Amino acid sequence: MQSTNLIPTAYFGPIKHQAIIAQTNCVIEKNEFFIKQSLRTRCYINGANGIITLKVPRFRKNSSKTPIKDIKINYDHPWQKEHWKSIRSAYQSSPFFEYYCDELIPFFEKEYLFLIDLNMEIQQKIIEIIGLENDLKTSDQFTSYKENDWRKSTFKNLDNATKYEQVFSHNNEFVPDLSILDLLFNLGPETDQFLKNTDISIKL
């Protein structure tokens, strides 16, 4: 295992984010200020007509500087039902959707107060499903940016992304850098090995 990496919390994070967890010791940052339009509240899945963005709504505060651990989820709109409907529509014909869906659907039924709690429980479940032996920790306090720090990363692999068979690959070109859900529903038990072979050497 490599030295400890500092990574942001993620809502069904991208494949490279999960690959870093699979390959290294990680600490998840919970004391940084919330960053808009990032993997902290959104993920991307592959639908029949292209990429679908799933976003967790939050309560907005007057101040833009709110620690991620204090971000509360807004349930005024039935986003959970919409997210699961989109996921089911995108992946119900994938090889492993039925195999994993019962383990994931509780995240779209239970109402979590804080975003960090939702994301951490999702992450622990993904680790369990994949079969990784990781013991994730969260940060005790905010630290300045340093080596092995992925908090500013977009987690893109661009041309370095390894291709795999996707649900709609017979109609569309391969789509890289999607949510871990895309990899899980398409590769199933092979997800573990794929993540461990994913290139995480370039920080983008």
Side-chain angles (χ1 to χ4, degrees):
M1 298 287 280
Q2 302 174 5
S3 57
T4 299
N5 283 266
L6 186 60
I7 61 174
T9 180
Y11 176 64
F12 290 107
I15 292 169
K16 189 170 182 178
H17 181 271
Q18 191 64 52
I20 294 167
I21 293 174
Q23 295 181 36
T24 72
N25 290 314
C26 291
V27 172
I28 292 182
E29 174 65 84
K30 71 173 185 178
N31 295 288
E32 66 177 353
F33 290 134
F34 176 74
I35 298 177
K36 299 178 181 178
Q37 299 181 357
S38 72
L39 77 169
R40 294 155 181 84
T41 53
R42 62 181 61 198
C43 70
Y44 303 94
I45 61 174
N46 192 20
N49 298 315
I51 296 176
I52 300 170
T53 303
L54 304 180
K55 179 182 177 181
V56 179
R58 62 185 176 88
F59 283 106
R60 301 178 183 274
K61 294 188 175 182
N62 293 330
S63 172
S64 60
K65 293 186 175 182
T66 304
I68 190 74
K69 65 181 180 180
D70 295 331
I71 295 294
K72 293 183 178 181
I73 301 173
N74 190 335
Y75 294 95
D76 290 345
H77 184 75
W79 64 269
Q80 289 174 295
K81 184 179 295 185
E82 293 180 357
H83 283 202
W84 185 247
K85 181 179 179 180
S86 295
I87 292 169
R88 176 176 287 279
S89 176
Y91 296 111
Q92 61 186 349
S93 62
S94 67
F96 297 97
F97 177 77
E98 294 296 334
Y99 191 78
Y100 296 119
C101 65
D102 288 345
E103 294 193 72
L104 296 174
I105 198 170
F107 296 114
F108 303 94
E109 297 175 336
K110 177 181 176 181
E111 292 193 1
Y112 292 80
L113 179 61
F114 291 101
L115 174 69
I116 189 71
D117 294 332
L118 169 63
N119 286 356
M120 286 301 296
E121 288 199 23
I122 287 173
Q123 187 59 73
Q124 293 293 354
K125 175 55 69 173
I126 294 296
I127 287 175
E128 176 188 325
I129 289 174
I130 295 173
L132 301 175
E133 297 181 355
N134 299 57
D135 181 22
L136 278 184
K137 299 178 180 179
T138 55
S139 60
D140 294 324
Q141 59 186 11
F142 181 82
T143 56
S144 58
Y145 292 95
K146 56 183 181 179
E147 187 179 2
N148 297 324
D149 189 335
W150 293 82
R151 288 174 292 182
K152 292 183 178 181
S153 175
T154 61
F155 297 91
K156 302 290 187 183
N157 260 331
L158 301 178
D159 296 335
N160 296 318
T162 302
K163 295 182 179 180
Y164 56 91
E165 191 72 18
Q166 293 176 322
V167 178
F168 304 107
S169 58
H170 58 288
N171 293 327
N172 305 323
E173 293 184 0
F174 176 77
V175 182
D177 304 316
L178 293 171
S179 165
I180 184 61
L181 290 173
D182 190 79
L183 190 64
L184 187 65
F185 290 141
N186 284 297
L187 293 191
E190 297 179 24
T191 298
D192 177 17
Q193 199 57 47
F194 186 96
L195 291 172
K196 291 177 179 177
N197 290 331
T198 295
D199 182 8
I200 60 171
S201 62
I202 300 174
K203 188 180 294 184
L204 295 173

